[in-house]
Amino acid sequence: MILSRQSIADVVLVQPKAFGDNRGSFSEVYRASTFADAGLPTVFPQENISHSVPEGTLRGLHYQSPPHAQGKLVRCLRGAILDVAVDIRRGSPTFGQHVAAELTPENGHWLWVPAGFAHGFCTLVPDTTVLYKVTDYYAPECDRGIAFDDPDLAIDWPFAADRLVLSPKDQTQPRLAQIESPFTLETAGAN
Ligand SMILES: Cc1cn([C@H]2C[C@H](O)[C@@H](COP(=O)(O)OP(=O)(O)O[C@H]3O[C@H](C)C(=O)[C@H](O)[C@H]3O)O2)c(=O)[nH]c1=O
């Protein structure tokens, strides 16, 4: 299992090793000791699966505010996504910058998105299933969002806006400049 810190060092791409043979393959996709050695959390009290039918389904950009901020460990079980993590930690030298990674069952990668980041993905093909482990429980009162098309974020989504499928909530999220992020580099913590 290879853990690679990305252009924003707190975001980590996790690449499990696959053992192939004539039957198919086997991978250890999570090992607490490896995560602990890398300074990543090892307690994920909730796990989510979302299934998106149309290609171009965009879920995000979401985060939970403290006291229920969530780190997310994201993988794609079927189909393909462009997964995006946006640094919203006030005082961070990479505030407003993002990491994007293509996640597929074929590459088997996870993306680790720490608390203090807004998260979203866009499906690249129909019938895409995403599984993600989170470091705190769902708290609807702490559910927050940022506009996927915030020009200050300059995220290069794979489809034009008129081909994207969004929830009503995600069609009306505020821009990052319009909110006061509840996170600072100190409160969100590095990991
Ligand atoms: C997130 C969540 C949602 N729900 C319920 C609330 C709604 O009745 C329904 C759909 O929720 P929502 O439209 O917020 O689902 P997504 O748009 O996929 O939201 C997720 O999308 C992006 C990618 C994220 O990173 C978050 O994990 C999460 O915000 O599931 C729950 O019961 N538990 C949960 O943990």
Side-chain angles (χ1 to χ4, degrees), residues 40-117:
L40 299 182
T42 58
V43 177
F44 299 93
Q46 183 178 312
E47 193 162 308
N48 304 321
I49 282 185
S50 68
H51 183 73
S52 304
V53 175
E55 70 178 12
T57 297
L58 197 156
R59 298 175 184 259
L61 299 161
H62 301 158
Y63 64 98
Q64 286 195 173
S65 60
H68 297 291
Q70 292 175 319
K72 300 167 186 169
L73 186 60
V74 187
R75 69 184 294 119
C76 181
L77 299 180
R78 176 178 172 174
I81 63 169
L82 182 71
D83 205 42
V84 174
V86 181
D87 187 353
I88 59 171
R89 300 168 300 178
R90 286 180 285 116
S92 168
T94 51
F95 181 80
Q97 296 180 31
H98 68 276
V99 169
E102 185 169 324
L103 305 180
T104 67
E106 291 71 30
N107 67 31
H109 296 171
W110 297 97
L111 191 67
W112 163 245
V113 180
F117 284 71

Side-chain angles (χ1 to χ4, degrees), residues 46 48 50 59 62 72 119-121 132 138 143 169-170:
Q46 183 178 312
N48 304 321
S50 68
R59 298 175 184 259
H62 301 158
K72 300 167 186 169
H119 174 246
F121 64 79
Y132 49 111
Y138 176 57
D143 189 27
K169 173 177 74 173
D170 288 345

Side-chain angles (χ1 to χ4, degrees), residues 11 21 35 61 75 87 100 167:
V11 179
D21 60 29
F35 273 57
L61 299 161
R75 69 184 294 119
D87 187 353
S167 66

